[in-house]
Structures are given as C-alpha cells and as structure tokens.
Amino acid sequence: MHCPFCRHPDSRVVDSREADEGQAIRRRRSCPECGRRFTTVETAVLSVVKRSGVTEPFSREKVVRGVRRACQGRAVDDDSLYKLAQKVEETVRAGGSAEIPSNEVGLAILGPLRDLDEVAYLRFASVYRSFSSAEDFEREIKDLRVHREDVAAAEARGDSPE
C-alpha cells in the first residue's frame, strides 16, 4: 500500500478491526518513510454478471433504486429499503462466489420485498419475471396468499416466519 502523503511504496499495519458489521476490515497503517498514519478499508469484491456478459461491482444503492421504483406511492421508508439492500447483499455473499449472475440478485430481492410490501413485490415481480397476462398476476397473488397463511401459521406456533 502506497503512502498517500509521500507515495512511499510500503506501509506497516498498526491495527486491524472489523467494520461494516464484519463485511470489511479497517486497517490503521504507518509509513516508515514519513512516519504519518492513515486508514484503509478492505472489502471482498462482489461482482454481478449481467445478461450481456458485462461484469460490474455489486451496489446496494442500485438495489435501493430498483426497489424504490417498485415502492413508489407506498408507505415504505428509506431505512426499510436500506435494510432490504443489506439483506440482499448478505444473501448473495452467503453463496460464497465472487461473481454472481444478475438474476440471482433479483431472486434475492423478491423474498425480503414480499415481506416488506406486497404491492411493491407484485410490481417488482411483474417486471423481473416479465409478466405478460392477467393470469401471471393471479398466479402470483395466489402464491402471496399462501405465503401469508404460512407466515401466520408459523407465528401462531411461535416459529420464526423465515
């Protein structure tokens, strides 16, 4: 790591700590040349492979933007959107791969969004799954009702709904 002050090509790690709920490592470094200290943050790279074959870094902000469009006009606050994006990232990182197809990101969005807001879920699913008829909506609404009943039954038993 080059020193940002004198550009010396080496530095010494003085302290390391977890950051961002274990998703990153914060390192305090010291330059042996000028003696100044600086901080670096290291994160594991997670790349999304789009249908076209183009690879881009995973972005929580992009997840939030996509879900925010589906939530337009709904009573969903920004905190909920950011928590959803965090869940999505945790889900795709749990797969253990450094590169994931974009459709896996979409699938990871559907579950938390269904639990957050059913109307937003239907909007997102209709675009993501390319609904082409009223029957597609009817089938998805039927699945939503079954899910809602399963969650209610699990809560009545005292189980976790997930």
Side-chain angles (χ1 to χ4, degrees):
M1 178 79 211
H2 288 267
C3 173
F5 305 108
C6 70
R7 305 298 303 154
H8 185 71
D10 196 18
S11 63
R12 185 173 68 84
V13 175
V14 177
D15 182 42
S16 293
R17 298 179 185 200
E18 278 189 10
D20 194 21
E21 298 177 5
Q23 298 298 314
I25 297 176
R26 180 185 163 275
R27 298 198 194 278
R28 194 75 182 128
R29 296 177 175 269
S30 175
C31 175
E33 185 70 23
C34 69
R36 295 181 75 178
R37 291 185 172 204
F38 57 98
T39 302
T40 60
V41 178
E42 299 175 16
T43 58
V45 176
L46 179 62
S47 299
V48 177
V49 181
K50 302 180 84 76
R51 279 184 235 142
S52 64
V54 174
T55 302
E56 66 181 39
F58 176 86
S59 166
R60 281 188 192 179
E61 195 56 44
K62 193 167 180 181
V63 171
V64 169
R65 278 195 312 269
V67 173
R68 183 176 282 136
R69 280 194 300 267
C71 292
Q72 200 166 9
R74 306 292 301 159
V76 176
D77 62 359
D78 281 348
D79 274 352
S80 297
L81 294 178
Y82 287 108
K83 285 177 186 172
L84 183 142
Q86 181 178 347
K87 283 182 188 175
V88 169
E89 183 173 1
E90 288 169 359
T91 299
V92 295
R93 281 192 186 277
S97 178
E99 287 189 346
I100 54 162
S102 58
N103 68 315
E104 284 187 27
V105 176
L107 289 173
I109 290 171
L110 288 172
L113 184 56
R114 178 183 56 212
D115 297 333
L116 180 64
D117 187 276
E118 291 178 343
V119 173
Y121 166 79
L122 282 172
R123 289 174 177 170
F124 188 88
S126 70
V127 173
Y128 178 73
R129 293 186 175 152
S130 304
F131 287 6
S132 59
S133 67
E135 289 79 24
D136 293 335
F137 281 95
E138 289 171 355
R139 185 173 43 260
E140 199 65 42
I141 290 168
K142 180 181 172 211
D143 290 346
L144 263 175
R145 288 185 177 133
V146 168
H147 174 73
R148 190 185 312 149
E149 290 168 5
D150 291 346
V151 168
E155 288 174 351
R157 288 189 310 268
D159 295 343
S160 174
E162 294 177 350

